[in-house]
Amino acid sequence: MSCNLTFWAHGSSELIGTCFLVMIVVGSGIMGERLSNDQAIILLANTLATGAGLVVLIWTFQGISGAHFNPVVSLVMWMHGTISKRQLALYVGCQILGGIVGTWIANIMFDLPAWELSQNIRDNNNFFLSEAIATFGLVFVIIRTIQVNRYLVAPAVGLYITAGYWFTASTSFANPAVTIARVFTDTFTGINFISVPIFISAQILGALLAFYYMQSLPQGQSKVE
Amino acid sequence: MSCNLTFWAHGSSELIGTCFLVMIVVGSGIMGERLSNDQAIILLANTLATGAGLVVLIWTFQGISGAHFNPVVSLVMWMHGTISKRQLALYVGCQILGGIVGTWIANIMFDLPAWELSQNIRDNNNFFLSEAIATFGLVFVIIRTIQVNRYLVAPAVGLYITAGYWFTASTSFANPAVTIARVFTDTFTGINFISVPIFISAQILGALLAFYYMQSLPQGQSKVE
Amino acid sequence: MSCNLTFWAHGSSELIGTCFLVMIVVGSGIMGERLSNDQAIILLANTLATGAGLVVLIWTFQGISGAHFNPVVSLVMWMHGTISKRQLALYVGCQILGGIVGTWIANIMFDLPAWELSQNIRDNNNFFLSEAIATFGLVFVIIRTIQVNRYLVAPAVGLYITAGYWFTASTSFANPAVTIARVFTDTFTGINFISVPIFISAQILGALLAFYYMQSLPQGQSKVE
Amino acid sequence: MSCNLTFWAHGSSELIGTCFLVMIVVGSGIMGERLSNDQAIILLANTLATGAGLVVLIWTFQGISGAHFNPVVSLVMWMHGTISKRQLALYVGCQILGGIVGTWIANIMFDLPAWELSQNIRDNNNFFLSEAIATFGLVFVIIRTIQVNRYLVAPAVGLYITAGYWFTASTSFANPAVTIARVFTDTFTGINFISVPIFISAQILGALLAFYYMQSLPQGQSKVE
């Protein structure tokens, strides 16, 4: 097929996939806030929607672009040689753009201003540690399950984030594109821009640790025996 | 086998499947309203029942009729050449009839009047955008996962609607037969008939967009690699 | 292997499996009542535990006895020629005994009297219709998914009951052995013995309708294409 | 590969896996307590995170060390001849250490003292019976599903514990390493050290019963037919 068609397929897949991912994260948070005052019930609904959405988005787009939807996943895939430097740039650009469009659509669907900045400064708790652990786990799960059985990546990621929303103090953003997109909504899932650098630096650290831990393991142990 | 047997199998499968789908949607909404006043908990229960029900209904009826249960899915399958024009008419008729019977049985099970009209005018928020996005996603998920692995269609649809109930402002009806059936119950999941045209026109638009986006992708990229 | 070993394997599998199933149904109802006053949250917990438990119990015991855990499922399997008349008697006996032992253990674990009679007369709503529909669906799902892929039976049954607890007015007992066992606990999931005959007769009717509907379908349509 | 590499792979896999398992159990309990006062909602969140986390951790580490994360599972695997005595010692040591580190990180993430002792004496209800049944079920599920299909072990364990948190009076610790780790947090999932011996002795008894019941079954019945 032509290079342009591949470019269109890869770019649109990462853009639309990340757009839907952020619509799901932000939209379900808004719906939760509208229907309940109980923070635990809102987070349960947010968790259910995000976990379910991730599984189906990855199954749907995996055969087109790999369904990264996450700059640190694309970074690790480039370090591993799965994608080229040019693809890395395309993917990260489309993920960030798709994520911001996702926030924009979620706001519009719920009749909120399309663009607003979150006032939610996330600085209580130990969020650097929290995001580093969350992203270490996410990236390690992805690079292991790809080796075991590619169909497992989708449920593995969905289930990991389902747990992550609850076991980490930061609710496991674990994704720089989603972190940036969440700056632009002042609702349940928003994050103030001054908290972004600490989140993204922790996410990069966690991803690199997962990559190097994976490298340290003997390769003959990759398959489920 | 004889033509009549196929006709019976296809028609009864779409009718009974859509009937159960609507019973699940409407019935779980009624049960939720009876047990709780918290709108978020009712929607959580409604989501859990609908998502679980969709998976099992599709696994059960997929080998008989394809388990569409949705006129816009049948429309896209006809455009793609999977079913004939005659089948399309049979399927859509049985889906609409089955859906209405489903509402009727749900009302009777819970000792409500068998037929009543919903008073719930759904016109707050941006419901045209919301249903168009919900249906675009649903139809794209279906036509992609059929190509990847037919067993994935059922969990993919169940998980998509699980997310959809929360991330779209309209709770993702995404199905004209179910939309029509929900006119006839004045309970949690009901919809007033004056809101129906905007929902169904958005659903058709979303389905067509999914079909044409799919057509734009290079076909060599269909499989999970 | 010897006949006695088969007898031991089949009987103990149906007895232990049905015992765990009832422990899960009754025990999670008691835990729910202890932790919350909200009927919807108790039913959500009861649903989650029962649905999850059914999947794992069927996967675990399916290769030993078929994992029926339900007299009307065994009845239909005998009508279909899968098990003999002698097996049918063994299975139904072990299911009823196992279920009663399950209630007994659940009561003891939670420091309740081992034996008590439920005061919960279930006669509001249309429970005959409700149980007939619930059991029709359950049995049809089982006999279809066995044909499609035996590994699907377990998640299909778990997801069906997850939906059934919410969409039917009777919360889908759909199982005479479990219905009898639930007479012996005066907690969330109990049922007064005077409600039992209507439940069991509806369950038998629903199972027979599922069997005859299955028989009416052309056999060439059994597989997921 | 060299012996040291295997030692590193096995040990780090059991240590990191058990560490994440305990972080998920303890962390989601803390998050639940912070967001809600309703014990049932906290336990629902704790259940969702633990069940989801177990599935993904087992899929991820199964091909490296077998993903036991549980001394009584390693004990039964040694009795069955799957691992050596030397491996058993390594596994149990890494599980206990990993669990304690997990509690430590969970406490730090949520800005609690890294080390504290739980005041929660768990002695109401019949907890010996409860843990023995919980562990019998868990171990039997694991040794059966390994025989049926190794990919099923992960969802089977996750779903079993999802049910177990609700149907047993003790919420199914079913794991000595996790039991010990939970001593060191005075939050929702903590356990006072004086309750530990009864929990661990019941867990060992339940595991042995599962092993001997498995041994009593005819081996020709191992597969899903």
Side-chain angles (χ1 to χ4, degrees), chain D residues 16-195:
Chain D
I16 295 176
T18 314
C19 173
F20 264 86
L21 174 56
V22 170
M23 274 199 288
I24 292 168
V25 170
V26 172
S28 63
I30 298 171
M31 179 69 93
E33 279 187 326
R34 296 244 172 120
L35 298 185
S36 182
N37 290 316
D38 183 319
Q39 298 292 304
I41 290 176
I42 301 172
L43 189 58
L44 272 176
N46 197 211
T47 302
L48 191 66
T50 307
L54 273 166
V55 178
V56 67
L57 289 174
I58 295 174
W59 274 340
T60 299
F61 291 100
Q62 193 171 16
I64 305 174
S65 68
H68 299 176
F69 311 151
N70 188 338
V72 297
V73 171
S74 296
L75 175 70
V76 166
M77 291 300 163
W78 169 70
M79 290 169 70
H80 186 260
T82 308
I83 62 171
S84 68
K85 203 172 194 170
R86 189 167 162 278
Q87 263 182 298
L88 175 60
L90 172 68
Y91 276 39
V92 173
C94 289
Q95 288 156 4
I96 293 173
L97 181 61
I100 293 172
V101 173
T103 301
W104 178 56
I105 300 179
N107 285 336
I108 292 174
M109 276 199 293
F110 286 94
D111 276 345
L112 295 167
W115 301 101
E116 47 182 359
L117 290 177
S118 172
Q119 302 303 312
N120 189 357
I121 299 173
R122 295 180 183 254
D123 62 0
N124 53 327
N125 297 318
N126 200 330
F127 283 166
F128 185 85
L129 176 64
S130 184
E131 281 298 302
I133 286 173
T135 314
F136 169 83
L138 176 64
V139 171
F140 188 68
V141 162
I142 292 170
I143 57 190
R144 274 289 307 161
T145 48
I146 286 174
Q147 292 188 311
V148 173
N149 178 331
R150 290 183 71 89
Y151 287 113
L152 290 187
V153 178
V157 168
L159 291 167
Y160 181 80
I161 293 298
T162 296
Y165 266 32
W166 287 90
F167 88 83
T168 63
S170 60
T171 68
S172 292
F173 283 48
N175 183 330
V178 171
T179 305
I180 292 168
R182 288 166 71 163
V183 167
F184 300 104
T185 184
D186 195 19
T187 60
F188 185 71
T189 53
I191 179 170
N192 187 273
F193 62 86
I194 70 161
S195 303

Side-chain angles (χ1 to χ4, degrees), chain A residues 81-92:
Chain A
T82 308
I83 62 171
S84 67
K85 202 171 193 172
R86 190 166 161 280
Q87 264 182 297
L88 175 60
L90 171 67
Y91 276 39
V92 172

Side-chain angles (χ1 to χ4, degrees), chain C residues 59-123:
Chain C
W59 275 338
T60 299
F61 292 100
Q62 194 171 15
I64 305 174
S65 68
H68 299 177
F69 311 151
N70 188 337
V72 297
V73 171
S74 296
L75 175 70
V76 166
M77 291 300 163
W78 169 71
M79 289 169 70
H80 187 260
T82 308
I83 61 172
S84 67
K85 203 172 195 172
R86 190 166 161 279
Q87 263 182 299
L88 175 61
L90 172 68
Y91 276 39
V92 172
C94 289
Q95 288 156 3
I96 293 173
L97 181 61
I100 294 173
V101 172
T103 302
W104 177 56
I105 300 179
N107 285 337
I108 292 173
M109 277 200 292
F110 286 94
D111 276 345
L112 296 166
W115 301 101
E116 47 182 359
L117 290 177
S118 171
Q119 303 302 313
N120 188 357
I121 299 173
R122 295 180 182 255
D123 63 0

Side-chain angles (χ1 to χ4, degrees), chain B residues 70-90:
Chain B
N70 188 338
V72 297
V73 172
S74 296
L75 175 69
V76 166
M77 291 298 162
W78 169 71
M79 290 168 70
H80 187 261
T82 308
I83 62 171
S84 68
K85 203 172 194 171
R86 189 166 162 279
Q87 265 183 298
L88 175 61
L90 172 67

Side-chain angles (χ1 to χ4, degrees), chain C:
Chain C
M1 80 200 80
S2 79
C3 193
N4 281 346
L5 253 180
T6 306
F7 181 86
W8 163 248
H10 286 178
S12 67
S13 169
E14 289 295 315
L15 194 150
I16 294 175
T18 314
C19 173
F20 264 86
L21 174 56
V22 170
M23 273 199 288
I24 291 168
V25 170
V26 173
S28 63
I30 298 171
M31 180 68 94
E33 279 186 324
R34 296 244 172 120
L35 299 184
S36 181
N37 291 316
D38 183 318
Q39 297 292 303
I41 291 176
I42 302 171
L43 189 58
L44 272 177
N46 196 212
T47 302
L48 190 67
T50 306
L54 273 166
V55 179
V56 67
L57 289 174
I58 295 173
W59 275 338
T60 299
F61 292 100
Q62 194 171 15
I64 305 174
S65 68
H68 299 177
F69 311 151
N70 188 337
V72 297
V73 171
S74 296
L75 175 70
V76 166
M77 291 300 163
W78 169 71
M79 289 169 70
H80 187 260
T82 308
I83 61 172
S84 67
K85 203 172 195 172
R86 190 166 161 279
Q87 263 182 299
L88 175 61
L90 172 68
Y91 276 39
V92 172
C94 289
Q95 288 156 3
I96 293 173
L97 181 61
I100 294 173
V101 172
T103 302
W104 177 56
I105 300 179
N107 285 337
I108 292 173
M109 277 200 292
F110 286 94
D111 276 345
L112 296 166
W115 301 101
E116 47 182 359
L117 290 177
S118 171
Q119 303 302 313
N120 188 357
I121 299 173
R122 295 180 182 255
D123 63 0
N124 52 327
N125 297 318
N126 200 331
F127 283 166
F128 185 86
L129 176 64
S130 184
E131 281 298 303
I133 286 173
T135 315
F136 169 83
L138 175 64
V139 171
F140 188 68
V141 162
I142 292 171
I143 57 190
R144 275 290 305 162
T145 48
I146 287 174
Q147 292 187 311
V148 173
N149 178 332
R150 289 183 70 89
Y151 287 113
L152 290 187
V153 179
V157 168
L159 290 167
Y160 181 80
I161 293 298
T162 296
Y165 267 33
W166 286 90
F167 88 82
T168 63
S170 61
T171 68
S172 292
F173 283 47
N175 182 330
V178 171
T179 305
I180 292 168
R182 287 166 71 163
V183 167
F184 300 104
T185 184
D186 195 19
T187 59
F188 185 70
T189 53
I191 179 171
N192 187 272
F193 61 87
I194 69 161
S195 303
V196 168
I198 200 117
F199 271 62
I200 292 182
S201 53
Q203 290 160 4
I204 293 170
L205 177 66
L208 294 178
L209 286 176
F211 180 77
Y212 290 116
Y213 175 51
M214 189 71 197
Q215 296 280 88
S216 81
L217 295 175
Q219 292 307 308
Q221 306 236 339
S222 301
K223 299 287 170 196
V224 168
E225 285 146 38

